[in-house]
Amino acid sequence: MGRENGSEASKKHISTACTSCRGRKVKCDGQAPVCSNCVLYKQRCEYNFSDKRKISPKKTIQSLTERIALLETILMTHGIDFPSDNPLEPHQSSFNFVSDLKASEHVKHQNSGSYVSETAPDQSLFEFDTSSTIQNPFTSLFENGHMDHFIPEYGDLTDIFPNHFSSTVAADIPAEPQTRNDTDDIMDQLSARIGSFQIAEDGQLRYFGATSNLHILQDGLSSISRPVNRSVYAEKELVLSRAGLDRKVDREFRRHLEDLYFQWEDPAIHVVDKEMYFQAQSAYISEDIETPFYSETLMNAICASGSSLTSRTDLGSPHDAAEFFSSRAKLLLEIEMDSPSIATVQALVIMSAIEAAFTRDARGWLYSGMAVRLSADLGLHLDLNSEVRQGLITARELEVRRTAFWGVFIHDNMWSLYVGRPSGVNVQDISISRPQVPPGPVKSRVWHRSSETADPPLGVASLQHDLYDPVEACADANVSLGIMMSKLSKTVYSGKSISDDRLEEFAAGIRVEFDEWKRGLPIELRVNMEDKSRPYLPHVLQLHMQFYAISILLYRPFFSRSLSTPESSPSPPSEDPRVMCITAAQSIVKLLKIYRKQHTLRRANVHIVHLVFTASLICVYNTYSNDKTLAANNLNDLQFCCQALGEIGEAYQNSMMALEVIICIKREWLGKVKTMARLKRRCSTYNHEGEGVIRQKKRIAELQGNKDQMPGVGEEAALQLPAATSYGTHNPQQSSEQFLNELFPNC
């Protein structure tokens, strides 16, 4: 077994690299007709098989012997004595002879006005009169092809002649005047704090930080025994056949599912570049060219997401079709993880959302974390403008990397709020620029609604036509919300103890960021909830829902009595935390109604479930308000939210779970409110009975003229009152305050 592995490793030894890999100084796998690096960077792959850089030491020695003989002939032709074959003494330097030669040549050519540079003494050795009648010995040598085999490399010469390149001799070699030397470069590499990109053994470009020690390598990673990575292209049919998932899918149906994903799911969390995806898919299908921007795993993940949004039954019910594509994606992901790419990161983001829709939160949370880790592995969070200038990647590839990373960032922060756990991306580590917003509306990028027979009629006539899709501007606005979500998660909901003053200071700062965010929105992202005739894109409406959901999560901890008393945080009624939460919840309901009227709740990004869920809890709380009008309005809003979750539940199962949770919470809170009401009525009854006894005793005492018994009468009456009389008698709001503290404990 060991010999077999050894023979395989020896067969993988490449003697000749392609010209592109040689120019970039990276390891070439020697695959024909195109190596993996040229496929990755879309370079023209050419091999120069006449180049014999790596020749045997025997041939190298022979070439050097011929070269020495040639140089001796030149010296004899010019009447210059050359040293004997005796080796140099330890105290002598090989450059002593060169210095003497330079001096003699300088005297010889002084009268003719020729000048020999003193900074490059070795060049004088080869300067001779080309107009002389003496034939140039180099000409015949190159014409006969003898010198084609000799291209000196310092590494090869050191290996062949270790004694002649010892440290003693090298120390005597005068260096050319320069501002930096090799030692400085070595010190800079060793002391660097920033990592570098390397071509890994699977041919992918990966990032290694300075602490990995791998950033010092200049020619990429290499190993004696290169691991054999599995290929989805080669093993797909076998793997899917064994799992019973090799059913053929009609190309038209697959394209329909892809269109549904890019219309409804991706714009809200923009992670896949549509144009690059279809270009890479075409190259993969028609020319068998694998690129980092398309994979079978990504395609199946996209189709799984689109299956949840369709009403077609080509593969059974939408749920069955989604499970079919999702199962295929999981199997292919296991193979693709041997050599992950940008497409793998994108697939993990989509698969994470699919698992959330299927209420498999543990696996969905895991996929989201894998996407974060892989994005760091590929260096998607880093600015590569210098690599673009060097030609390592194109500007278009950098744009795709930027889109993928910020999609991971937004998705990670939304997952963090969805499950109430810390996010995985550290904002301080990000150096790549924000999503690039075009200077003006790009009319070629439009959003149009693909209709199915089961779709409801449009509520706005203008939606029949294509609309300009500001997907980059929407992504940039989502990034700002993601940064605020990250701050909110790490400060308010971190689980650490935080003072009330610090909490109020943080809330004031975030409130300023909220106002700046709304003012900074471009015109195409603004929504006037009172103008119901204007058409709005679904992801623009969901963007504003996300904003108001974050507002609720910011102000909700201030429901606690210790944070909202007039003494601790005086504020006008318009800035009261409860008012802010109620207003935000009502705004979400209004946006949801516009969404339903202009589109359909059957199709939406899966994260809309958590937004409606968050608003519904505030509506449940307001349903039990003392204000009858407010309670009635919020009851209507709550009913609409429950109905909306039911409609969304046709596509996403987690929506039905959220609806069930809301019903359970409403039942539990209603039970607490009824219990408090009974206690309040009982306290009121005992209070009236106690006051009657006191009045009767007082009247009797006045008639008897014995007023000294009054304190005793008061004590006796007080003993007849239960201890619960002190609960809510002095402050009518006290019962509701305690109820709120139970529902929203102090952070």
Side-chain angles (χ1 to χ4, degrees):
M1 198 68 178
R3 291 187 177 182
E4 293 179 359
N5 293 337
S7 62
E8 291 178 2
S10 62
K11 291 180 180 179
K12 294 179 181 178
H13 178 73
I14 305 301
S15 60
T16 303
C18 70
T19 56
S20 177
C21 292
R22 181 176 298 171
R24 295 169 54 202
K25 296 183 179 181
V26 297
K27 184 177 180 181
C28 181
D29 56 11
Q31 294 182 5
V34 183
C35 71
S36 60
N37 292 337
C38 291
V39 172
L40 176 64
Y41 297 107
K42 300 178 181 180
Q43 301 289 333
R44 184 176 180 181
C45 191
E46 295 180 346
Y47 290 92
N48 185 10
F49 293 102
S50 62
D51 186 4
K52 304 295 183 182
R53 286 178 177 244
K54 296 185 178 180
I55 59 178
S56 64
K58 181 178 179 180
K59 292 183 178 180
T60 304
I61 294 174
Q62 182 180 357
S63 298
L64 286 173
T65 304
E66 295 175 355
R67 183 181 179 88
I68 293 173
L70 171 65
L71 295 177
E72 290 178 350
T73 303
I74 297 174
L75 294 175
M76 292 175 61
T77 303
H78 287 72
I80 301 175
D81 295 331
F82 54 90
S84 63
D85 294 336
N86 297 330
L88 297 175
E89 297 297 331
H91 64 277
Q92 290 180 330
S93 171
S94 62
F95 270 81
N96 292 338
F97 169 73
V98 175
S99 301
D100 298 338
L101 177 65
K102 180 191 70 173
S104 62
E105 285 294 295
H106 180 71
V107 173
K108 181 177 181 180
H109 294 284
Q110 187 174 11
N111 297 330
S112 61
S114 62
Y115 174 76
V116 180
S117 174
E118 296 183 1
T119 60
D122 56 331
Q123 296 298 324
S124 63
L125 227 99
F126 307 101
E127 291 186 2
F128 53 89
D129 190 2
T130 57
S131 62
S132 175
T133 57
I134 301 176
Q135 182 182 1
N136 188 351
F138 285 103
T139 304
S140 60
L141 193 60
F142 278 102
E143 288 178 351
N144 295 331
H146 296 298
M147 295 301 293
D148 291 343
H149 300 286
F150 181 73
I151 301 178
E153 291 185 357
Y154 292 107
D156 297 335
L157 295 178
T158 305
D159 296 334
I160 298 172
F161 303 107
N163 295 330
H164 290 277
F165 289 86
S166 61
S167 58
T168 305
V169 176
D172 296 332
I173 299 177
E176 295 183 358
Q178 54 185 3
T179 57
R180 296 180 58 84
N181 52 37
D182 294 339
T183 304
D184 295 333
D185 293 337
I186 294 175
M187 291 177 60
D188 290 344
Q189 292 179 8
L190 189 61
S191 61
R193 297 181 297 105
I194 302 176
S196 64
F197 284 88
Q198 303 288 344
I199 299 293
E201 296 178 347
D202 57 0
Q204 299 290 341
L205 190 67
R206 307 201 181 282
Y207 174 75
F208 293 92
T211 57
S212 69
N213 303 326
L214 300 176
H215 69 294
I216 302 177
L217 292 177
Q218 299 298 319
D219 296 333
L221 301 177
S222 61
S223 64
I224 298 177
S225 57
R226 181 172 176 176
V228 178
N229 296 320
R230 295 176 295 172
S231 171
V232 174
Y233 185 84
E235 302 185 22
K236 176 186 67 173
E237 299 297 337
L238 179 60
V239 171
L240 296 181
S241 176
R242 289 177 176 176
L245 298 172
D246 56 342
R247 180 177 178 180
K248 299 298 181 182
V249 180
D250 182 68
R251 179 172 297 185
E252 182 275 331
F253 179 60
R254 186 194 67 193
R255 181 57 188 261
H256 176 67
L257 298 180
E258 291 171 335
D259 289 340
L260 288 176
Y261 167 79
F262 283 110
Q263 290 168 11
W264 300 96
E265 182 74 19
D266 181 76
I269 304 179
H270 186 40
V271 68
V272 181
D273 188 287
K274 180 179 179 181
E275 181 182 358
M276 180 64 79
Y277 169 80
F278 284 116
Q279 287 180 358
Q281 183 188 69
S282 176
Y284 178 83
I285 296 176
S286 61
E287 304 177 19
D288 297 340
I289 298 178
E290 295 184 89
T291 70
F293 312 114
Y294 175 82
S295 69
E296 291 281 343
T297 307
L298 175 59
M299 184 272 291
N300 281 278
I302 289 177
C303 289
S305 179
S307 298
S308 300
L309 304 174
T310 187
S311 57
R312 292 174 55 172
T313 58
D314 297 49
L315 295 176
S317 66
H319 174 76
D320 294 338
E323 285 284 16
F324 170 77
F325 286 110
S326 177
S327 299
R328 287 166 59 110
K330 293 174 185 176
L331 287 176
L332 299 178
L333 176 66
E334 180 63 24
I335 303 175
E336 191 172 315
M337 286 301 294
D338 286 354
S339 180
S341 62
I342 296 177
T344 312
V345 176
Q346 297 167 332
L348 285 169
V349 171
I350 301 172
M351 294 171 66
S352 173
I354 294 171
E355 295 302 308
F358 288 146
T359 66
R360 297 190 286 257
D361 291 346
R363 183 181 289 271
W365 174 254
L366 175 63
Y367 284 157
S368 178
M370 291 171 64
V372 172
R373 288 294 190 184
L374 272 184
S375 65
D377 176 67
L378 299 174
L380 301 183
H381 62 295
L382 300 176
D383 182 16
L384 298 186
N385 282 308
S386 60
E387 281 73 9
V388 173
R389 291 189 293 268
Q390 296 173 9
L392 295 178
I393 64 173
T394 64
R396 187 72 178 92
E397 291 173 347
L398 178 60
E399 182 180 352
V400 175
R401 293 172 61 91
R402 181 187 297 111
T403 298
F405 171 75
W406 288 117
V408 171
F409 175 80
I410 296 170
H411 184 266
D412 175 61
N413 281 280
M414 287 188 177
W415 251 110
S416 176
L417 294 186
Y418 181 72
V419 295
R421 299 168 188 166
S423 58
V425 180
N426 189 1
V427 179
Q428 284 72 24
D429 295 333
I430 303 173
S431 63
I432 193 169
S433 59
R434 299 272 289 265
Q436 300 296 317
V437 181
V442 181
K443 299 301 181 182
S444 60
R445 184 180 290 111
V446 296
W447 185 92
H448 66 278
R449 172 179 172 174
S450 62
S451 60
E452 294 182 347
T453 56
D455 288 348
L458 294 177
V460 179
S462 58
L463 287 176
Q464 300 284 359
H465 306 285
D466 294 342
L467 298 176
Y468 161 61
D469 188 6
V471 61
E472 291 86 2
C474 187
D476 184 65
N478 245 330
V479 168
S480 298
L481 291 181
I483 295 175
M484 287 186 279
M485 282 188 283
S486 179
K487 294 179 181 178
L488 186 65
S489 176
K490 294 180 179 179
T491 304
V492 178
Y493 295 99
S494 63
K496 298 180 180 179
S497 178
I498 182 172
S499 64
D500 295 352
D501 294 339
R502 176 70 181 89
L503 195 60
E504 293 172 5
E505 180 183 355
F506 172 80
I510 292 293
R511 189 184 301 117
V512 173
E513 294 186 24
F514 281 173
D515 296 337
E516 293 177 352
W517 183 87
K518 294 186 68 175
R519 288 195 304 266
L521 286 178
I523 186 64
E524 58 268 15
L525 295 183
R526 297 183 181 181
V527 174
N528 183 4
M529 289 180 285
E530 305 302 328
D531 184 7
K532 300 180 181 180
S533 60
R534 177 186 170 186
Y536 296 104
L537 295 175
H539 41 284
V540 173
L541 294 173
Q542 185 166 335
L543 174 69
H544 286 265
M545 292 185 206
Q546 182 72 39
F547 167 76
Y548 288 114
I550 298 175
S551 301
I552 292 175
L553 296 176
L554 172 64
Y555 294 112
R556 202 171 68 180
F558 292 89
F559 275 33
S560 178
R561 182 178 57 198
S562 62
L563 295 177
S564 59
T565 54
E567 293 79 11
S568 61
S569 58
S571 59
S574 60
E575 297 183 1
D576 183 83
R578 302 178 193 179
V579 175
M580 301 291 286
C581 283
I582 294 172
T583 303
Q586 292 173 345
S587 298
I588 292 178
V589 173
K590 291 179 180 179
L591 292 167
L592 198 60
K593 290 180 179 179
I594 297 175
Y595 194 111
R596 186 189 185 196
K597 179 181 178 181
Q598 297 189 1
H599 306 286
T600 171
L601 295 177
R602 175 69 175 77
R603 293 175 180 170
N605 183 281
V606 65
H607 285 280
I608 198 174
V609 175
H610 183 250
L611 310 182
V612 180
F613 187 17
T614 303
S616 299
L617 291 181
I618 301 299
C619 293
V620 172
Y621 159 71
N622 291 333
T623 302
Y624 305 115
S625 173
N626 295 328
D627 189 338
K628 301 299 182 181
T629 304
L630 180 62
N633 292 335
N634 281 273
L635 181 60
N636 294 332
D637 291 343
L638 177 61
Q639 291 175 349
F640 178 79
C641 289
C642 293
Q643 184 180 1
L645 288 174
E647 295 180 16
I648 300 173
E650 297 180 15
Y652 305 123
Q653 296 180 21
N654 63 331
S655 181
M656 301 304 298
M657 184 184 71
L659 178 59
E660 184 177 349
V661 172
I662 291 174
I663 294 175
C664 293
I665 291 177
K666 184 176 183 297
R667 184 184 301 116
E668 180 182 352
W669 289 2
L670 179 61
K672 288 187 177 183
V673 170
K674 289 182 177 180
T675 301
M676 292 180 183
R678 287 195 298 268
L679 289 175
K680 186 176 180 180
R681 287 195 299 269
R682 186 180 304 172
C683 294
S684 177
T685 302
Y686 285 141
N687 189 29
H688 290 309
E689 291 178 355
E691 291 178 355
V693 171
I694 292 176
R695 286 195 298 269
Q696 185 178 7
K697 297 285 187 179
K698 183 178 179 180
R699 181 60 177 168
I700 294 175
E702 290 178 351
L703 292 175
Q704 295 177 352
N706 188 6
K707 296 183 179 181
D708 295 336
Q709 295 181 1
M710 284 298 299
V713 172
E715 294 176 2
E716 182 180 359
L719 292 175
Q720 295 178 3
L721 296 177
T725 54
S726 61
Y727 183 78
T729 55
H730 301 288
N731 185 2
Q733 299 291 332
Q734 189 172 1
S735 58
S736 60
E737 293 286 358
Q738 183 170 347
F739 174 55
L740 291 175
N741 287 331
E742 293 178 10
L743 300 182
F744 306 100
N746 185 8
C747 294

